[in-house]
Amino acid sequence: MKIGMLTGGGDCPGLNAVIRAVVRKGIFTYGDAFVGFLEGWRGLVDDNTMVLDLEAVGGILPRGGTILRTSRTNPSKRPDGIDRCMASLEKNKIEALIAIGGDDTLSVAQKLHERGAKVVGVPKTIDNDLGGTDYTFGFDTACNIVCEALDRVHTTAEAHNRVMVVEVMGRDAGWIALYSGIAGGADVILIPERPFDVDKVADSIRQRHERGLYFSIVVVAEGAKFSSAEPGQGAPVLQDMGKDEFGHVKLGGIANILAREIEKRTGFETRAVVLGHIQRGGSPSAFDRVLATRYGLGAIDMVHRGEFGCMAALRSNKIVSIPLIEAISRNRVVDNEMIQIVDGLFERAADKQVV
Ligand code: F6P
């Protein structure tokens, strides 16, 4: 078969591992040929391609980013965008397309599927917020990076008797904050799913310091919200008012505001650290290399079983095939059960309310 492949949306560690697995199994097992569409859906809109053969995927397993490059291009926002994508598939004689991306990229995949294209999706995002799958690749690497940063922040916080507020990515989901906060031993973890009261955060830190601990680590998700009476009035903090082609705002800046408010209320010296795109860069963890490889192997099998309009998903540690529509119809955010489990780490009722 002649198969097209693309990577769309924000990059994440493990994209190259998926590409490599698809191409290797496709060539070794099925005798397929591959065409890479460059820079996400832009590659189909503009018919911009590269050959994907064994040579092209040699040595890419540990590399971050994506050899196909990526963009947040949304063909539905261009006058004849979807038609142009269909035309590129036809011109390149593509019999099936593998789209590797998050909810935005896969929502376009669903649209093309509805127009008759044979599409299979692979879930990707460091945010881990895609429905229908237990984990997306990239998330583990991001958590490892944040965990290492927290260990480093810990020692400098301790040396200076400071409160350190560390802002992490995740968009509207608190998975990165929660997992890395647990792994890094954070004293306060703030996630978008539970708007927080800054007085209670300050109180919790003050009490901790009164117990003889002179430093504190706060992990805050970029999408976390002050409860309504506080700065921001219950809305997330934005870098600016701009939106991308999928209508997403640019989140960011909450750590600086929060650090100021904590210092004002407690009198403790407080600093903000924003980890930003460092969380998405560099080599994937061993876990993500394996998960991404399994997704790639699953996706090429799905193509040859004719499971189109579907996405490879991880369920109970097995790669299964689920309808794309199931994955894109809801964001998977941190649930109450998970929040209650984490509450068990904290001693006092007041602390529990701030997680
Ligand atoms: O969706 C992945 C993500 O890294 C989010 O966590 C973050 O809000 C966003 O992308 C950043 O996007 P950009 O790379 O366009 O700045």
Side-chain angles (χ1 to χ4, degrees):
M1 268 176 112
K2 193 166 181 200
I3 298 169
M5 192 155 32
L6 66 90
T7 52
D11 72 326
C12 90
L15 285 166
N16 286 325
V18 179
I19 297 167
R20 170 182 176 268
V22 168
V23 170
R24 286 173 69 104
K25 185 159 191 186
I27 291 173
F28 297 150
T29 306
Y30 299 110
D32 293 328
F34 292 91
V35 173
F37 288 93
L38 298 174
E39 299 171 11
W41 293 114
R42 191 189 291 151
L44 271 102
V45 172
D46 296 344
D47 188 23
N48 193 9
T49 63
M50 71 179 264
V51 173
L52 270 181
D53 53 15
L54 289 173
E55 201 187 328
V57 301
I60 66 171
L61 177 65
R63 267 169 62 186
T66 156
I67 59 165
L68 294 174
R69 301 199 299 276
T70 187
S71 73
R72 295 196 190 274
T73 303
N74 182 357
S76 318
K77 285 281 153 68
R78 322 249 158 143
D80 51 357
I82 296 287
D83 289 341
R84 290 176 68 143
C85 290
M86 294 300 286
S88 283
L89 292 175
E90 205 176 312
K91 184 186 155 225
N92 290 285
K93 298 188 172 35
I94 300 298
E95 295 164 89
L97 179 70
I98 296 178
I100 311 166
D103 50 350
D104 296 335
T105 304
L106 298 180
S107 67
V108 177
Q110 172 66 22
K111 285 202 176 88
L112 289 180
H113 168 65
E114 285 162 13
R115 288 280 301 268
K118 294 180 170 170
V119 190
V120 164
V122 175
K124 159 253 58 156
T125 166
I126 62 163
D127 301 341
N128 201 34
D129 62 349
L130 211 62
T133 189
D134 294 346
Y135 287 99
T136 52
F137 66 88
F139 170 65
D140 181 70
T141 308
C143 288
N144 283 325
I145 293 167
V146 177
C147 180
E148 197 204 321
L150 290 178
D151 288 349
R152 290 177 187 279
V153 160
H154 230 109
T155 59
T156 171
E158 205 169 356
H160 284 266
N161 295 348
R162 277 177 180 159
V163 179
M164 300 294 280
V165 179
V166 182
E167 178 177 316
V168 302
M169 281 185 167
R171 202 118 46 198
D172 302 318
W175 294 110
I176 298 177
L178 196 71
Y179 271 56
S180 58
I182 296 170
D187 304 299
V188 177
I189 304 169
L190 303 170
I191 59 176
E193 292 83 349
R194 199 191 269 191
F196 64 89
D197 178 338
V198 70
D199 287 323
K200 285 190 180 145
V201 173
D203 183 49
S204 161
I205 291 169
R206 205 180 298 110
Q207 301 250 357
R208 190 181 133 76
H209 289 221
E210 278 164 14
R211 291 200 299 270
L213 297 153
Y214 298 116
F215 72 98
S216 291
I217 308 293
V218 178
V219 174
V220 61
E222 61 179 0
K225 304 168 195 83
F226 289 85
S227 54
S228 53
E230 305 301 338
Q233 301 291 318
V237 179
L238 306 183
Q239 280 181 46
D240 58 53
M241 297 311 284
K243 287 186 179 171
D244 68 20
E245 287 189 18
F246 286 92
H248 296 300
V249 291
K250 273 193 211 135
L251 294 168
I254 192 166
N256 283 297
I257 298 173
L258 181 58
R260 214 169 44 230
E261 297 296 323
I262 290 173
E263 189 167 293
K264 210 159 72 189
R265 283 165 172 77
T266 61
F268 303 141
E269 200 179 9
T270 306
R271 294 282 192 271
V273 178
V274 181
L275 295 179
H277 293 81
I278 290 168
Q279 292 160 93
R280 270 182 13 204
S283 200
S285 64
F287 180 89
D288 276 337
R289 292 182 200 192
V290 174
L291 181 59
T293 299
R294 290 179 70 196
Y295 274 132
L297 298 174
I300 191 70
D301 286 342
M302 284 166 64
V303 166
H304 285 277
R305 287 198 302 262
E307 291 168 4
F308 299 116
C310 290
M311 182 189 88
L314 184 76
R315 295 233 176 125
S316 305
N317 205 20
K318 295 226 170 350
I319 301 290
V320 297
S321 163
I322 64 163
L324 269 175
I325 200 82
E326 190 182 328
I328 60 175
S329 54
R330 69 177 179 94
N331 254 18
R332 203 172 64 87
V333 293
V334 177
D335 49 55
N336 275 335
E337 195 189 329
M338 189 68 203
I339 292 174
Q340 272 161 22
I341 292 169
V342 181
D343 275 347
L345 274 174
F346 296 89
E347 190 186 341
R348 304 170 332 125
D351 297 331
K352 291 181 202 296
Q353 287 168 33
V354 300
V355 178

